[in-house]
Amino acid sequence: MVHGQSGVRFQNWARSYGSSPEMYFQPATVDEIKEILDLARQRNKKVKVVGGGHSPSDIACTDDFMIQMGRMNKVLKVDKAKKQVTVEAGILLSDLNVELTKHGLALPILGAVSDVAAGGVIGTGTHNTGIRHGILATQVVALTLLTASGEILTCSESVNPELHRAACVHLGCLGVILTVTFQCVPEFYLQEATFPSTLKEVLDNLNNHLNKSEYFRFLWFPHTENVSIIYQDHTDKPSSSSSSWFWDYAIGYYLLEFLLWVSTFLPGLVGWINRFFFWLLFTGKTEHIDLSYKVFNYECRFKQHVQDWAIPIEKTKEALLELKGTLESNPKVVAHYPVEVRFARGDNFLLSPCCQRDSCYVNIIMYRPYGKDVPRLDYWLAYEGIMKKYGGRPHWAKAHTCTRRDFEKMYPCFQKFCTIREQLDPRGMFLNAYLEKVFY
Ligand SMILES: Cc1cc2nc3c(=O)[nH]c(=O)nc-3n(C[C@H](O)[C@H](O)[C@H](O)COP(=O)(O)OP(=O)(O)OC[C@H]3O[C@@H](n4cnc5c(N)ncnc54)[C@H](O)[C@@H]3O)c2cc1C
């Protein structure tokens, strides 16, 4: 008999959203999850499954039943010949990365952090960068799903292919993802090189940069022309680091947080802060070599609000120049650094922001120095307007103000996903407030 706890408070990583589920479960077996779904059906409750709780929106919140997947975290099978690994969906990628190195394997791409669960990262279309690489879900070979009725379905490109196209970016609304099989590659080292540039240079030579480095991205410092370019590429060289002493001792982080807090009283300082930190930390060249997952991941120390839309890659220049122009003509609108610009190959998943097109992700942030919210509405709305104008689609895990009407226009296969969802979950057991806005 599975036991639920009452009185547990759920909060996402950034502490920007939370909820108080009536019952909080941490099942260790599929039978226990089935029992929870039976109970939810009997009591007419909604169910929300949560992985690492890292989504910077309310997509993982519920006031009904919450299933935390942390105990469903085993590696079930490693197929060395095919270089595939099958895991329970609650495993954190940080644990999986370590486990894979024991077999000489690695995931070909990861997001910025690995304290996220296998079921969770594919749930929201997590991505990183590199135009030869798709979002993380493109590494999924197969998965199993427990539906609202208690049935277990398997899907892959050859078995239930339409379900596979839906379930690889599932938003947590199709059922409980139980297992995921990932395609891996041989373990590899990455060399990261960073160097300064300008927005004009990087936008004028975008194709060169995309071709030159397998995992190319850049950071733009809003209110300035400054850009830091980051190349990450396979290497046979041994581990090494030339990162600055300033970062090593983390003084930069503390100073930045303090100055950002001061700027909440003097918003005009933000442009100077962006300029100062670019000069202090990003004007030199740095190099760093390590195991792939240690280079993909970095330490995100600050809590922040974030938006991250994917626009068609050919709109990158126009959209960024318009964002820059908007900030220049509205000096009262402040934007913290960096605007992180990343790229991903198009795919075929029904609700992937990269569905049927190569994409550029434009990630904007506003920090919360010492937990204080900095006004961001004007920046958020200006950015959203530009992203929409250029055919953007918001990251499912991050802030946006879109509703079903927007998604119907954005996604050629939106209706197909809705039909699959309604077939699998006619009562809407796996919906929450966030998902109601998406589907109704
Ligand atoms: C510091 C930080 C850095 C980040 N970096 C990146 C980045 O580089 N790129 C990027 O794209 N995103 C990034 N994100 C966003 C993050 O990758 C996504 O929010 C991701 O979905 C988090 O995974 P999670 O396991 O924490 O999912 P959760 O937040 O726990 O859940 C996300 C969704 O998946 C559902 N879900 C989770 N597990 C299951 C399951 N087993 N069955 C059914 N539904 C399930 C939940 O119900 C919810 O709808 C970052 C977030 C943070 C806080």
Side-chain angles (χ1 to χ4, degrees):
M1 180 81 180
V2 64
H3 290 288
Q5 283 171 270
S6 57
V8 173
R9 176 84 189 151
F10 165 75
Q11 288 223 281
N12 69 349
W13 177 85
R15 300 194 154 264
S16 47
Y17 291 92
S19 63
S20 300
E22 186 182 315
M23 294 290 255
Y24 181 86
F25 298 93
Q26 291 184 292
T29 64
V30 174
D31 284 341
E32 287 182 2
I33 302 179
K34 281 185 172 170
E35 261 184 67
I36 300 164
L37 298 196
D38 287 344
L39 194 65
R41 236 176 281 115
Q42 284 159 24
R43 298 201 191 162
N44 205 20
K45 295 291 173 192
K46 306 274 187 205
V47 174
K48 195 72 194 124
V49 186
V50 66
H54 265 53
S55 294
S57 69
D58 55 347
I59 192 169
C61 293
T62 185
D63 290 332
D64 280 10
F65 286 4
M66 179 169 278
I67 299 180
Q68 206 284 334
M69 292 291 281
R71 293 173 69 203
M72 304 282 292
N73 64 350
K74 288 189 266 313
V75 175
L76 299 174
K77 185 177 169 192
V78 179
D79 183 332
K80 278 200 156 186
K82 290 186 178 163
K83 300 190 183 63
Q84 292 176 355
V85 62
T86 302
V87 295
E88 289 184 321
I91 193 169
L92 295 182
L93 296 192
S94 50
D95 294 332
L96 178 58
N97 294 333
V98 174
E99 206 52 41
L100 285 177
T101 57
K102 293 181 191 162
H103 300 276
L105 296 173
L107 292 173
I109 196 163
L110 291 164
V113 291
S114 284
D115 297 330
V116 286
V121 277
I122 67 166
T124 62
T126 298
H127 67 95
N128 196 347
T129 192
I131 199 56
R132 278 173 261 165
H133 295 273
I135 62 172
L136 270 62
T138 58
Q139 300 162 28
V140 175
V141 177
L143 57 81
T144 58
L145 173 73
L146 177 64
T147 67
S149 64
E151 191 184 1
I152 294 180
L153 300 175
T154 299
C155 64
S156 66
E157 274 184 18
S158 53
V159 178
N160 277 327
E162 278 306 283
L163 177 61
H164 190 69
R165 285 184 70 202
C168 279
V169 182
H170 56 78
L171 311 191
C173 68
L174 301 180
V176 183
I177 306 290
L178 297 176
T179 68
V180 184
T181 302
F182 288 107
Q183 182 63 53
C184 304
V185 293
E187 175 185 61
F188 61 104
Y189 278 75
L190 276 179
Q191 174 163 18
E192 177 179 276
T194 63
F195 55 95
S197 186
T198 62
L199 191 59
K200 179 170 175 7
E201 184 284 320
V202 77
L203 292 177
D204 284 350
N205 299 300
L206 201 55
N207 281 335
N208 285 350
H209 289 295
L210 284 164
N211 291 328
K212 226 171 177 176
S213 170
E214 183 170 352
Y215 304 97
F216 155 67
R217 71 175 190 273
F218 68 90
L219 311 178
W220 169 47
F221 290 64
H223 307 295
T224 82
E225 253 296 312
N226 299 327
V227 155
S228 173
I229 292 181
I230 300 160
Y231 283 177
Q232 293 173 338
D233 289 285
H234 284 243
T235 183
D236 296 328
K237 293 183 205 157
S239 295
S240 70
S241 175
S242 72
S243 63
S244 78
W245 62 271
F246 212 84
W247 279 124
D248 290 348
Y249 291 98
I251 299 166
Y253 284 110
Y254 295 120
L255 183 59
L256 176 61
E257 186 162 29
F258 174 69
L259 291 178
L260 288 175
W261 178 79
V262 173
S263 77
T264 61
F265 305 100
L266 295 165
L269 281 181
V270 169
W272 292 105
I273 293 173
N274 293 357
R275 221 173 287 277
F276 173 67
F277 277 89
F278 179 79
W279 168 79
L280 192 64
L281 300 168
F282 296 90
T283 40
K285 289 186 179 181
T286 64
E287 270 193 15
H288 165 217
I289 297 175
D290 215 325
L291 270 173
S292 56
Y293 71 88
K294 296 186 183 174
V295 176
F296 285 133
N297 289 169
Y298 52 85
E299 198 177 343
C300 298
R301 297 186 185 213
F302 288 147
K303 308 294 184 195
Q304 52 191 251
H305 288 286
V306 58
Q307 287 213 58
D308 189 15
W309 286 50
I311 52 174
I313 196 163
E314 59 278 9
K315 300 292 182 194
T316 306
K317 185 172 180 176
E318 281 166 275
L320 279 165
L321 289 181
E322 190 162 332
L323 185 59
K324 183 167 184 275
T326 301
L327 292 176
E328 278 163 4
S329 50
N330 296 283
K332 286 202 171 139
V333 179
V334 296
H336 290 166
Y337 86 81
V339 171
E340 185 175 22
V341 184
R342 294 184 278 182
F343 303 89
R345 198 191 65 215
D347 59 50
N348 207 19
F349 303 134
L350 303 181
L351 290 194
S352 164
C354 300
C355 181
Q356 298 178 6
R357 64 193 204 194
D358 291 347
S359 302
C360 163
Y361 279 91
V362 180
N363 187 92
I364 63 165
I365 58 168
M366 286 299 277
Y367 294 113
R368 302 172 62 218
Y370 309 116
K372 183 174 178 182
D373 272 333
V374 180
R376 62 184 187 284
L377 192 63
D378 292 341
Y379 183 28
W380 253 220
L381 289 178
Y383 163 88
E384 270 207 14
I386 295 167
M387 294 296 111
K388 271 190 185 165
K389 176 175 162 189
Y390 290 102
R393 299 165 178 160
H395 192 307
W396 292 108
K398 303 184 184 178
H400 62 79
T401 58
C402 300
T403 61
R404 179 177 178 128
R405 284 177 134 208
D406 300 296
F407 295 122
E408 279 171 347
K409 285 187 216 140
M410 289 169 183
Y411 284 94
C413 306
F414 189 76
Q415 190 49 53
K416 197 179 265 182
F417 186 96
C418 292
T419 306
I420 293 173
R421 189 195 72 74
E422 283 156 26
Q423 279 164 359
L424 293 179
D425 184 18
R427 194 177 68 74
M429 179 193 269
F430 293 106
L431 295 183
N432 64 357
Y434 173 102
L435 293 167
E436 301 267 349
K437 277 186 250 157
V438 174
F439 294 113
Y440 291 104

